Amino acid sequence: MTNPYAEWFEQLRAEYGEQLSQMPLPDGLPEHLRTLIQTRDEEAIQFMIKLAWQFGAQVGYAAGAKREDAGVTVTRPSRVQA
């Protein structure tokens, strides 16, 4: 059975992976994440992902609402900007 989320994630990684690989993370975050992976703290990793997902959803909603108010047609960007 295929996982649609995993397929979507891999598609995004293929499309934006190069650009995002150049995006720096806050100091200490890569090391902290590595520790969480090594200690198999799945709960903490899922919490981080949920936070990122929630923040992204809020930003996306706000951007969409702003464009809607301005009467702008929303199109998919060709590049990810961080």
Side-chain angles (χ1 to χ4, degrees):
M1 182 174 177
T2 61
N3 180 331
Y5 176 77
E7 290 177 11
W8 174 71
F9 179 78
E10 288 305 319
Q11 179 184 355
L12 289 175
R13 186 159 61 166
E15 192 169 341
Y16 299 111
E18 177 68 27
Q19 295 168 36
L20 290 175
S21 70
Q22 297 172 28
M23 181 183 119
L25 292 172
D27 289 341
L29 182 57
E31 296 81 7
H32 179 61
L33 183 56
R34 191 173 301 111
T35 299
L36 294 175
I37 292 168
Q38 289 171 347
T39 60
R40 296 189 168 139
D41 191 343
E42 188 175 325
E43 185 178 329
I45 295 168
Q46 285 188 13
F47 180 76
M48 290 173 72
I49 291 170
K50 287 176 183 180
L51 280 176
W53 190 275
Q54 184 65 35
F55 292 153
Q58 289 174 355
V59 169
Y61 177 80
K66 185 176 181 180
R67 286 186 182 133
E68 190 175 285
D69 289 343
V72 175
T73 302
V74 177
T75 57
R76 186 171 179 205
S78 60
R79 291 186 49 107
V80 172
Q81 295 196 358

